[in-house]
Amino acid sequence: MQVTFVTTILVGSPIVVLASIGTALPTWTSRAMFAIRVGAVIWFLTAVSAYVYARYRR
């Protein structure tokens, strides 16, 4: 779980920033909702990747 969290922060933060460049985010609410939507997808992909890696690494 710690690996998933750290990897998501390190990899996901730049992805959220790059994805937000072309998106209009005028309010703090829209910024937070955008980060949650994109972050959820990144978190899910990271968790699945970590699980698959751990499963096949054994």
Side-chain angles (χ1 to χ4, degrees):
M1 189 67 166
Q2 291 173 348
V3 171
T4 304
F5 179 75
V6 171
T7 305
T8 301
I9 297 299
L10 292 176
V11 175
S13 298
I15 293 172
V16 171
V17 169
L18 290 174
S20 69
I21 290 174
T23 306
L25 301 168
T27 65
W28 282 104
T29 303
S30 64
R31 292 174 189 165
M33 295 303 294
F34 179 81
I36 290 169
R37 285 192 311 265
V38 174
V41 173
I42 293 169
W43 185 278
F44 180 75
L45 293 175
T46 305
V48 169
S49 300
Y51 172 77
V52 169
Y53 174 77
R55 182 164 171 94
Y56 289 108
R57 185 71 176 152
R58 288 186 189 189

